[in-house]
């Protein structure tokens, strides 16, 4: 991969590290080095990323089959295999998808790689999910999505990047308030609930760099994000257990996942 203008290939970036774990090609040596170091310190972290991506695919496909035709995907990350619009538009070509990320590196990749069917629409905006109105009032969002019709709010592996000081529960509530009844929340989140303390401590020690820092939360904390939503079966579960999400490893489980329908 060659570096586009404005991208420093010598500084590792969390989105490109994640891309490497998914088997993508949009990463540099600095990203691969951090990815491999983290994998060595925390066995199973790559498989967790792949299980999380598989959950996204299962959830979007399931909602498409239920008739959802609009998706607001927050914290997009670098486009890889099985993007939201690819899955949704494969089920229903008229589906409309808006991607949101505040990282210019991610948006550089998005502009080059995200395309739509003729029948549907795929848009991407550069905005900070910590400022919901910057997303919800954006003209491209308003042009692409009809807020009188159900929308799937996709927050897959997003809130773990939001610190407690930025009040992630408030952010979810602000986005959810504008969604009509019958909309859905698709959410996954890093947790240490399923891990032995030694493994959890090793993870925290290995991910303190700016490139890899995350905020893990408990199942009880994550369940609160679904206030105002009814969780559909099987509820809030380990990411690999959500409706037969393919399991890439039988090792440690690092993520919760769930999908809720707005009341």
């Amino acid at each position: 991969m060659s570096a586009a203008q404005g991208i420093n290939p010598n500084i590792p970036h969390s989105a490109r590290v994640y891309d490497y774990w998914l088997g993508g090609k949009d990463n540099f040596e600095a990203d691969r080095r951090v990815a491999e170091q983290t994998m060595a310190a925390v066995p199973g972290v790559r498989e967790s990323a792949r299980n999380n991506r598989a959950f996204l695919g299962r959830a979007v496909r399931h909602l498409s089959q239920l008739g959802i035709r609009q998706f607001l995907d927050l914290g997009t990350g670098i486009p890889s295999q099985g993007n939201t619009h690819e899955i949704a538009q494969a089920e229903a070509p008229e589906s409309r998808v808006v991607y949101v990320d505040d990282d210019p590196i991610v948006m550089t990749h998005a502009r080059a790689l995200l395309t739509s069917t003729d029948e549907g629409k795929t848009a991407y905006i550069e905005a900070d999910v910590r400022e919901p109105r910057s997303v919800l009032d954006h003209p491209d969002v308003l042009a692409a999505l009809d807020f009188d019709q159900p929308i799937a709010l996709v927050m897959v592996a997003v809130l773990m990047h939001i610190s407690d000081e930025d009040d992630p529960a408030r952010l979810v509530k602000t986005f959810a308030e504008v969604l009509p009844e019958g909309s859905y929340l698709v959410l996954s989140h890093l947790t240490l609930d399923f891990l032995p303390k030694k493994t959890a401590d090793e993870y925290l020690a290995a991910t303190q760099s700016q490139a890899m820092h995350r905020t893990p939360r408990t199942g009880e904390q994550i369940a609160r994000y679904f206030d105002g939503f009814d969780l559909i079966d099987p509820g809030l579960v380990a990411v690999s257990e959500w409706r037969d999400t393919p399991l890439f490893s039988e090792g440690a489980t690092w993520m919760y996942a769930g999908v809720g329908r707005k009341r």
Side-chain angles (χ1 to χ4, degrees):
M1 172 183 166
S2 59
Q5 184 176 3
I7 294 178
N8 186 341
N10 298 312
I11 298 176
H13 189 278
S14 60
R16 293 196 302 263
V17 171
Y18 191 71
D19 175 75
Y20 175 75
W21 285 340
L22 294 179
K25 59 181 178 58
D26 295 300
N27 49 76
F28 299 106
E29 177 59 32
D31 308 303
R32 295 188 285 273
R33 185 165 53 249
V34 168
E36 291 287 348
Q37 289 170 350
T38 305
M39 289 162 53
V42 189
V45 68
R46 176 174 60 181
E47 288 75 12
S48 178
R50 294 181 176 185
N51 283 332
N52 185 63
R53 189 67 174 187
F55 160 69
L56 170 66
R58 291 282 296 173
V60 170
R61 187 174 296 108
H62 180 69
L63 295 185
S64 295
Q65 292 168 353
L66 292 178
I68 299 299
R69 298 293 179 263
Q70 302 188 105
F71 297 83
L72 179 58
D73 190 333
L74 303 180
T76 303
I78 291 175
S80 187
Q81 296 179 349
N83 298 296
T84 298
H85 76 285
E86 293 172 330
I87 297 164
Q89 292 177 352
E91 293 289 334
E94 70 274 19
S95 297
R96 305 167 74 83
V97 179
V98 177
Y99 292 104
V100 181
D101 207 290
D102 67 343
D103 193 322
I105 291 175
V106 168
M107 298 314 295
T108 296
H109 294 289
R111 293 185 183 98
L113 299 173
L114 298 181
T115 58
S116 176
T117 59
D118 293 336
E119 302 94 326
K121 183 175 181 61
T122 300
Y124 41 84
I125 68 167
E126 188 172 332
D128 192 335
V129 300
R130 294 171 298 180
E131 300 173 1
R133 295 315 319 179
S134 71
V135 176
L136 297 171
D137 296 334
H138 195 286
D140 290 349
V141 173
L142 298 175
L145 302 179
D146 179 357
F147 281 83
D148 292 325
Q149 298 298 321
I151 295 171
L153 178 66
V154 180
M155 304 186 78
V156 170
V158 171
L159 295 176
M160 62 197 205
H161 296 277
I162 305 296
S163 68
D164 291 337
E165 289 75 15
D166 286 319
D167 196 353
R170 176 189 60 82
L171 298 179
V172 177
K173 182 178 180 180
T174 303
F175 281 106
E177 283 176 342
V178 305
L179 302 179
E181 180 182 349
S183 294
Y184 287 84
L185 172 62
V186 180
L187 188 148
S188 66
H189 198 296
L190 175 69
T191 188
L192 303 181
D193 283 5
F194 303 109
L195 305 175
K197 185 178 186 304
K198 181 175 183 294
T199 305
D201 290 344
E202 288 172 349
Y203 174 84
L204 292 173
T207 58
Q208 290 309 302
S209 71
Q210 183 177 1
M212 292 307 304
H213 183 66
R214 310 284 190 272
T215 300
R217 294 186 171 95
T218 66
E220 182 179 358
Q221 291 173 308
I222 296 165
R224 294 184 191 129
Y225 300 142
F226 287 95
D227 286 350
F229 293 83
D230 294 320
L231 281 163
I232 66 174
D233 288 338
L236 184 66
V237 295
V239 68
S240 57
E241 296 177 4
W242 198 89
R243 291 182 175 262
D244 301 320
T245 294
L247 182 64
F248 287 93
S249 170
E250 295 184 358
T253 297
W254 298 86
M255 304 282 287
Y256 275 111
V259 176
R261 187 179 190 274
K262 187 176 180 182
R263 295 192 287 268

